[in-house]
């Protein structure tokens, strides 16, 4: 049981390049999330998808787009990468609905550097 | 979502209980308290959650005050592998988990 799988694990981009971070979960969860974590900081929510076919902005959505491809997959796209987007990106999934719910499972992260 | 306040850091001796406090004075009646930890920049790991009753699982215990304005996560016998950043999160009506800065816990031999 793989849980939440993110690809790639590491990536270096040049300013202005685009790329898509992939995330897949095999737990049949409804909700999926993308977070970023800058050095020494807590995680900040970029986008989330409460269920298949829906997406919503989080705290820091600017410069990103997302696609909930199906129930398993939730991708994050950087259209024109900037050095300020250098960060570690985490994908997560959960079965929760509303306040009550179950735990969120996180992937191991994608370490992105934009030069 | 209610905000939380945690100490920036704390030390704990190996083998002793670690008690991690969290204040959430603006929590509303149907919001849950969640605890996660992050070990050395890995993905966060769920520990425990609760509404108003105390909870215990194989990892930890969660004690929530009667007025629900604060809680304490207890790691009963801390080991070196428990060194991590611990996040206390109040989960609201939407689906989001909002992480603060957390408490950096260092377990010393």
């Amino acid at each position: 049981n793989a849980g939440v799988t993110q690809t790639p694990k590491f990536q270096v981009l040049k300013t202005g390049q685009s790329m898509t971070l992939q995330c897949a979960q095999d737990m049949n969860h409804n909700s999926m999330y993308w977070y970023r974590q800058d050095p020494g900081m807590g995680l900040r929510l970029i986008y989330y998808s409460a269920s298949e076919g829906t997406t919503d902005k989080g705290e820091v959505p600017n410069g990103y787009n997302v696609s909930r491809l199906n129930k398993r997959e939730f991708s994050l796209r950087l259209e024109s990468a900037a050095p300020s987007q250098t960060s570690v990106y985490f994908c997560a999934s959960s079965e929760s609905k509303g306040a009550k719910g179950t735990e969120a499972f996180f992937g191991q992260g994608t370490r992105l550097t934009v030069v | 979502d209610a905000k939380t306040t945690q100490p920036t850091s704390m030390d704990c001796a190996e083998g002793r209980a670690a008690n991690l406090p969290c204040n959430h004075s603006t929590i509303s009646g149907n919001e849950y308290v969640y605890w996660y930890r992050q070990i050395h920049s890995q993905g966060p790991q769920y520990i425990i959650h609760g509404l108003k009753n105390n909870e215990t699982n194989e990892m930890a215990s969660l004690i929530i005050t009667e007025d629900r304005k604060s809680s304490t996560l207890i790691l009963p016998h801390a080991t070196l592998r428990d060194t991590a950043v611990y996040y206390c999160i109040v989960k609201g009506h939407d689906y989001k988990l909002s992480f603060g800065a957390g408490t950096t816990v260092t377990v010393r031999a």
Side-chain angles (χ1 to χ4, degrees), chain B residues 24 27-33 49-55 62-71:
Chain B
H24 32 79
I27 192 170
S28 63
N30 56 359
E31 291 179 320
Y32 281 67
V33 179
H49 75 281
L51 182 62
K52 50 185 171 183
N53 297 321
N54 297 339
E55 302 287 345
L62 174 61
I63 309 297
I64 303 174
T65 58
E66 191 169 345
D67 63 7
R68 303 209 327 121
K69 293 184 177 182
S70 65
S71 60

Side-chain angles (χ1 to χ4, degrees), chain A residues 33 35 37 98-99 101 103-104 111, chain B residues 30 36 38 41 91-92 95 97:
Chain A
Y33 315 81
Y35 289 87
Q37 185 174 34
E103 63 204 87
R111 282 144 182 83
Chain B
N30 56 359
Y36 283 77
Q38 189 175 25
S41 298
K91 189 170 186 295
Y95 303 85
L97 284 170

Side-chain angles (χ1 to χ4, degrees), chain B residues 9-63:
Chain B
S9 63
M10 61 184 295
D11 286 359
C12 176
E14 188 178 22
R16 304 294 294 269
N19 296 299
L20 283 63
C22 179
N23 287 319
H24 32 79
S25 58
T26 60
I27 192 170
S28 63
N30 56 359
E31 291 179 320
Y32 281 67
V33 179
Y34 279 73
W35 283 84
Y36 283 77
R37 73 180 183 183
Q38 189 175 25
I39 297 173
H40 193 55
S41 298
Q42 296 176 16
Q45 176 190 24
Y46 166 84
I47 301 172
I48 199 167
H49 75 281
L51 182 62
K52 50 185 171 183
N53 297 321
N54 297 339
E55 302 287 345
T56 295
N57 63 20
E58 64 278 4
M59 289 182 66
S61 295
L62 174 61
I63 309 297

Side-chain angles (χ1 to χ4, degrees), chain A residues 31 33 35 37 41-43 45 48 50 57-59 88 90 94 96-104 106-108 111, chain B residues 30-32 34 36 38 40-47 49 85 87 91-102:
Chain A
S31 303
Y33 315 81
Y35 289 87
Q37 185 174 34
M41 307 280 287
L43 281 75
L45 184 64
Y48 67 103
K57 296 178 179 179
E59 300 172 70
V88 181
F90 290 101
S94 72
S96 58
K97 289 187 177 182
K100 181 180 179 179
T102 57
E103 63 204 87
F106 284 79
Q108 287 306 298
R111 282 144 182 83
Chain B
N30 56 359
E31 291 179 320
Y32 281 67
Y34 279 73
Y36 283 77
Q38 189 175 25
H40 193 55
S41 298
Q42 296 176 16
Q45 176 190 24
Y46 166 84
I47 301 172
H49 75 281
V85 179
Y87 298 98
K91 189 170 186 295
H93 294 282
D94 56 24
Y95 303 85
K96 299 180 289 187
L97 284 170
S98 296
F99 288 80

Side-chain angles (χ1 to χ4, degrees), chain B residues 74-90:
Chain B
I74 301 172
L75 307 177
H77 304 287
T79 71
L80 298 178
R81 289 177 295 180
D82 291 323
T83 292
V85 179
Y86 287 76
Y87 298 98
C88 171
I89 300 166
V90 172

